[in-house]
């Protein structure tokens, strides 16, 4: 099946810093999504981004489908950004998740 | 408010006692699915449904059953739960298979003793 790799696995930032999270996938996909799992365990959909660039406030994402990667940018990070960020791709009928990036933003 | 609702949120039970986790969505979505999340193993798909009366196995279907009699509901059934099914479970829905963003429920934490 398709492989989804995220980097870095862990990231610690000071409040106000910027960061880039990466997602690589091993085969063609129908779409790609980014999720944030907050400390309460809830999974929040951040972006549905099969290709191109989208922005939502301090967050933006870019997917280059032809090169099989996606990037999630977090600017001016806040403590509420802490949690795990997952990339997930749909190939055929399956949604496959990466292992996530654990982000900690310290005040 | 558009949402996916799972119940119960928490359950502690014993081996072999049948249980059902309900899932309901109010967005008229065609596609629904179940996942389990385990430390070190990430999120894995259990079953999915592309439409009413159409279901199929995901990556880890053993020990689970599902049904899709109505578009809005997609219950997960554990006929004879075992301790290795202790996990955090999520239900999700989207407009279609591979179409549109997936919306997740808040999760159900199951402990099988």
């Amino acid at each position: 099946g398709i492989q989804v790799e995220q980097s870095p696995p862990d990231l610690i930032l000071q409040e106000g810093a910027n960061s880039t999270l990466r997602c690589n996938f091993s085969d063609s996909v129908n779409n790609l999504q980014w999720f944030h799992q907050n400390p309460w365990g809830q999974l929040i959909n951040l972006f549905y981004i099969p290709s191109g660039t989208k922005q939502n406030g301090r967050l933006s994402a870019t997917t280059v489908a032809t090169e099989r990667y996606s990037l999630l940018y977090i600017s001016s990070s806040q403590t509420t950004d802490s949690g795990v960020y997952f990339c997930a791709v749909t190939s055929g009928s399956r949604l496959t998740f990466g292992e996530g990036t654990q982000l900690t933003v310290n005040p | 408010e558009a949402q996916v609702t799972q119940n119960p949120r928490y359950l502690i039970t014993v081996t072999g006692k049948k249980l059902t986790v309900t899932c309901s969505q109010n967005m008229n979505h065609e596609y629904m699915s179940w996942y389990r999340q385990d430390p070190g193993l990430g999120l894995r798909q259990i079953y999915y449904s592309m439409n009413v009366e159409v279901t199929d196995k995901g990556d880890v279907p053993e020990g689970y059953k599902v049904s899709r009699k109505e578009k809005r509901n997609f219950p997960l059934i554990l006929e004879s739960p075992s301790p290795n099914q202790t996990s955090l479970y999520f239900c999700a829905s989207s407009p279609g298979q591979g179409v549109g963003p997936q919306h997740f429920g808040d999760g159900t934490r199951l402990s099988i003793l």
Side-chain angles (χ1 to χ4, degrees), chain A residues 10-102:
Chain A
D10 298 279
L11 186 58
I12 300 175
L13 301 174
Q14 284 300 122
E15 201 166 25
N18 302 328
S19 63
T20 301
L21 282 57
R22 187 176 180 102
C23 172
N24 293 331
F25 43 97
S26 61
D27 206 345
S28 301
V29 298
N30 302 116
N31 66 59
L32 184 142
Q33 302 177 69
W34 284 97
F35 296 89
H36 176 220
Q37 187 166 35
N38 62 27
W40 296 270
Q42 295 171 314
L43 276 164
I44 309 300
N45 194 300
L46 299 174
F47 293 102
Y48 171 80
I49 185 166
S51 63
T53 297
K54 290 187 177 180
Q55 179 148 12
N56 185 2
R58 296 181 296 102
L59 273 60
S60 64
T62 295
T63 296
V64 184
T66 53
E67 297 187 22
R68 300 180 184 168
Y69 74 90
S70 183
L71 302 173
L72 178 69
Y73 306 94
I74 304 174
S75 64
S76 304
S77 58
Q78 300 176 357
T79 56
T80 52
D81 294 331
S82 295
V84 183
Y85 289 79
F86 290 102
C87 162
V89 301
T90 299
S91 178
S93 58
R94 304 278 185 89
L95 181 68
T96 302
F97 284 79
E99 295 196 357
T101 292
Q102 174 77 57

Side-chain angles (χ1 to χ4, degrees), chain B residues 23-102:
Chain B
C23 174
S24 181
Q25 51 94 4
N26 63 0
M27 295 167 279
N28 201 36
H29 283 169
E30 304 272 334
Y31 186 89
M32 297 184 74
S33 55
W34 278 100
Y35 303 85
R36 61 179 287 175
Q37 185 177 26
D38 302 288
L41 296 174
L43 279 141
R44 295 176 292 168
Q45 193 175 47
I46 304 170
Y47 268 96
Y48 63 93
S49 169
M50 290 190 284
N51 210 330
V52 175
E53 302 293 0
V54 180
T55 63
D56 208 347
K57 297 177 181 178
D59 297 315
V60 286
E62 294 77 21
Y64 304 95
K65 284 176 57 176
V66 293
S67 68
R68 187 92 181 273
K69 293 184 169 54
E70 309 165 279
K71 184 182 271 193
R72 64 183 292 122
N73 295 324
F74 191 45
L76 179 70
I77 303 157
L78 285 70
E79 296 255 349
S80 183
S82 62
N84 64 11
Q85 293 178 297
T86 292
S87 187
L88 177 58
Y89 290 85
F90 289 99
C91 178
S93 73
S94 62
Q97 176 192 336
V99 175
Q102 289 248 336

Side-chain angles (χ1 to χ4, degrees), chain B residues 6-32:
Chain B
Q6 295 179 227
N7 279 297
R9 293 291 314 282
Y10 305 91
L11 179 64
I12 301 174
T13 187
V14 296
T15 299
K17 185 177 182 183
K18 180 179 179 179
L19 67 91
T20 299
V21 185
T22 63
C23 174
S24 181
Q25 51 94 4
N26 63 0
M27 295 167 279
N28 201 36
H29 283 169
E30 304 272 334
Y31 186 89
M32 297 184 74

